Amino acid sequence: MSMFRNSIVKLVASHQGLVSNCRYATAASTNLKAVLANQIPEKQEEVKKFRKEHGSTKVGEVTVDMMYGGMRGIRGLVTETSVLDPNEGIRFRGYSIPDCQELLPRGNGGTGEQPLPEALFWLLLTGEIPTQQQADAISKEWNDRAAIPNHVTTMLNNFPSNLHPMSQFSAAITALNSESKFAKAYHSGVKKSQYWEYAYEDSMDMIAKLPTVASIIYRNLYREGSSVGAIDPKKDWSWNFATMLGYDNADFVELMRLYLTIHSDHEGGNVSAHTTHLVASALSDPYLSFAAGMNGLAGPLHGLANQEVLIWLTEVRKKVGDNITEDGMKEFVWNTLKGGQVVPGYGHAVLRKTDPRYTCQREFALKKLPDDPMFKLVSALYKVVPDILLEQGKAANPWPNVDAHSGVLLQYYGMTEMNYYTVLFGVSRALGCMASVIWDRALGLPIERPKSFDTPALKKLAAAAKK
Ligand code: CMX
């Protein structure tokens, strides 16, 4: 049945000319590690040859402003999993979000509308669209690896309720490194050429465990510490996550599948991906590396923005009510800016158009919750905020990003605890960060160590450059 579905999807996609040059999984194997082991030598060879031919080719320049300006625009990282186009948005291994929604296999249970994050992980790692069997094999493997050690459960149960869910999440991931196969292998002297295998094992284990960790945090904080229950071995990662959180709703499962797919990766320079990559370059194990990335995601200019958006929207609604007037909204937005605050959910360091991750969530909302007052408010703000930001003249990108929408969808299904939203983002981000770390080790990337200068030294460099 699923083979049949995959051929139909391929046929429809090629017939509609949706995606040119689709790369479907070439290997029949459902063993992702084996598929990867086949690919790695070829890719290593390709990179070796490329560096031999072009190793000294210049691909950009660095200005003084770039150095003081958060390294914006500096071309300094290699990330294989995804590339962000300023106008078009993210492409995962060359595939846009609509491509992924069209081509990736679905899960059983739910309504079958959205792709499986498991399939996206396969794509991020291999560059190929998996078959249904391959995606299902990942669901099974993650279910098999999902158990978390007692000391992590005990630690989570002992955290005070005023400790932010992201702090709990990051601390739990750090503590999970008691399970690290990478750390153990490193200490027993494993060869560098095998690092990726242990990074892979830790990544698969960690991704498998995150929904349980995240659900314990949720239930401890908002559901009187009730039990998360057991993983259903026949279901997928998102279905199990939704169920452990306590949501028994087919549309919410689809929302999770969509949410966990689209938040996974945004090329390499964003704070969470870059931090994970940097820390992993010191050969800290994947748990330690990802926990560091999560501390970055917890910043209000990055992943915490989805929490900030819902707080802000709630204030807008209090102020302007449900009979939204354009003037009322404009006044609120201007007051936010005049108060020295950013409009959360708008702007981006790289994007210069509406984020396609915003657009696909909007499409979901138009289908499932068109009359929800908060969704109407988000839609109404979309009409006024960009013009105001343009008029203010500061933000390089006045358009909404992913965080402008996600909270509204979650609150519709009853997840109103906005402090928790960034944890969901974090669970998803593991897919991209871990796929990258595995390739970092497969390609033998060294410890990261860019050069820094103090201002006097930079002045000397600038003076010398003028001569
Ligand atoms: N509201 C008000 N001012 C904004 C703004 C916004 N949404 N976005 C940018 N600006 C301001 C900046 O604060 C900056 O002001 P100063 O010069 O006074 O410092 C100026 O415009 C220029 O900034 P920029 O080059 O457009 O943006 P940056 O690359 O520096 O920052 C980002 C990008 C996302 C941090 C910023 O747009 C922002 O703070 N947005 C709101 C928070 C948010 O939604 N973050 C989520 C990002 C999504 C993600 O994590 O992936």
Side-chain angles (χ1 to χ4, degrees):
M1 179 64 192
S2 48
M3 260 174 75
F4 175 70
R5 199 198 143 269
N6 257 6
S7 6
I8 294 285
V9 169
K10 284 180 204 178
L11 207 69
V12 171
S14 60
H15 180 68
Q16 294 177 340
L18 282 172
V19 188
S20 53
N21 303 321
C22 281
R23 293 175 312 277
Y24 291 99
T26 40
S29 170
T30 55
N31 181 337
L32 179 56
K33 193 173 182 184
V35 171
L36 210 52
N38 260 333
Q39 280 192 356
I40 285 172
E42 201 182 312
K43 185 77 186 176
Q44 284 170 334
E45 211 37 54
E46 181 193 334
V47 172
K48 201 168 144 197
K49 187 163 171 275
F50 176 59
R51 289 186 64 178
K52 202 166 165 211
E53 286 169 13
H54 296 282
S56 54
T57 303
K58 289 196 174 122
V59 293
E61 56 176 25
V62 180
T63 64
V64 169
D65 267 350
M66 283 168 152
M67 292 176 70
Y68 284 101
M71 297 195 281
R72 211 69 90 253
I74 293 180
R75 296 170 176 179
L77 289 168
V78 179
T79 304
E80 305 288 356
T81 50
S82 66
V83 177
L84 180 58
D85 179 272
N87 294 311
E88 199 196 32
I90 194 67
R91 277 188 179 267
F92 304 115
R93 293 285 191 164
Y95 295 93
S96 68
I97 287 177
D99 294 341
C100 290
Q101 285 179 296
E102 193 65 44
L103 298 171
L104 293 178
R106 312 296 204 253
N108 78 46
T111 59
E113 287 161 89
Q114 300 297 334
L116 279 176
E118 288 89 327
L120 185 87
F121 184 66
W122 187 292
L123 172 65
L124 290 173
L125 261 181
T126 65
E128 295 178 340
I129 306 276
T131 61
Q132 185 74 52
Q133 287 84 345
Q134 288 168 328
D136 291 344
I138 302 294
S139 301
K140 182 179 178 321
E141 211 173 327
W142 288 352
N143 288 339
D144 292 345
R145 294 172 184 247
I148 65 170
N150 286 339
H151 72 89
V152 173
T153 312
T154 307
M155 182 178 89
L156 287 169
N157 291 344
N158 282 321
F159 278 143
S161 60
N162 63 353
L163 185 62
H164 193 281
M166 276 305 281
S167 311
Q168 299 196 23
F169 190 54
S170 145
I173 296 166
T174 299
L176 275 173
N177 101 315
S178 57
E179 311 308 293
S180 175
K181 293 165 182 159
F182 182 92
K184 282 187 193 87
Y186 184 81
H187 288 294
S188 47
V190 69
K191 285 202 282 285
K192 189 176 175 183
S193 60
Q194 284 178 286
Y195 286 171
W196 77 266
E197 295 182 34
Y198 296 94
Y200 174 91
E201 291 299 331
D202 277 4
S203 298
M204 293 291 277
D205 284 345
M206 184 176 71
I207 293 169
K209 294 174 196 318
L210 291 181
T212 307
V213 168
S215 301
I216 293 175
I217 294 170
Y218 186 74
R219 286 188 179 247
N220 279 349
L221 288 176
Y222 314 115
R223 297 290 182 274
E224 284 93 37
S226 52
S227 159
V228 300
I231 294 269
D232 181 339
K234 294 207 161 44
K235 294 289 200 253
D236 58 274
W237 195 56
S238 314
W239 194 96
N240 273 313
F241 190 14
T243 308
M244 285 192 289
L245 287 166
Y247 292 82
D248 176 18
N249 177 323
D251 283 336
F252 186 79
V253 170
E254 289 305 330
L255 176 61
M256 277 297 104
R257 288 172 180 157
L258 176 67
Y259 189 104
L260 296 172
T261 296
I262 63 174
H263 286 78
S264 59
D265 208 30
H266 222 220
E267 67 170 37
N270 66 77
V271 170
S272 49
H274 188 188
T275 306
T276 305
H277 162 82
L278 168 69
V279 175
S281 84
L283 299 185
S284 302
D285 67 60
Y287 296 97
L288 296 180
S289 309
F290 186 61
M294 288 301 93
N295 289 336
L297 192 74
L301 295 188
H302 190 21
L304 207 74
N306 57 12
Q307 160 184 329
E308 305 286 302
V309 167
L310 214 69
I311 294 170
W312 186 76
L313 287 176
T314 311
E315 281 168 23
V316 182
R317 196 171 169 202
K318 250 192 250 157
K319 181 88 183 166
V320 301
D322 284 340
N323 292 324
I324 307 160
T325 66
E326 207 172 300
D327 285 347
M329 281 186 307
K330 281 184 177 167
E331 192 191 335
F332 196 92
V333 176
W334 273 116
N335 284 343
T336 302
L337 294 174
K338 284 177 192 155
Q341 287 167 299
V342 293
V343 178
Y346 279 77
H348 199 273
V350 179
L351 273 169
R352 292 298 172 258
K353 288 274 164 64
T354 297
D355 190 337
R357 300 173 299 175
Y358 173 92
T359 309
C360 71
Q361 293 184 90
R362 178 172 163 75
E363 280 161 8
F364 186 97
L366 281 168
K367 229 160 121 188
K368 309 275 184 189
L369 44 136
D371 299 322
D372 178 63
M374 289 292 263
F375 171 55
K376 284 187 172 165
L377 181 60
V378 167
S379 301
L381 283 163
Y382 189 24
K383 292 190 186 133
V384 304
V385 174
D387 282 344
I388 295 177
L389 288 176
L390 281 173
E391 194 181 328
Q392 191 207 27
K394 274 173 50 170
N397 173 29
W399 301 104
N401 59 54
V402 65
D403 297 317
H405 219 304
S406 46
V408 165
L409 298 177
L410 296 167
Q411 61 85 39
Y412 177 76
Y413 292 103
M415 186 181 273
T416 52
E417 300 87 2
M418 38 198 112
N419 278 5
Y420 185 76
Y421 292 168
T422 314
V423 174
L424 297 179
F425 193 158
V427 172
S428 169
R429 197 33 71 98
L431 304 182
C433 289
M434 288 303 101
S436 276
V437 164
I438 293 165
W439 273 105
D440 290 349
R441 299 291 73 81
L443 295 177
L445 301 190
I447 187 165
E448 199 170 272
R449 186 24 172 123
K451 176 79 187 103
S452 69
F453 293 92
D454 57 11
T455 299
L458 206 47
K459 281 183 177 168
K460 274 190 209 154
L461 279 180
K466 274 219 153 167
K467 283 182 191 156

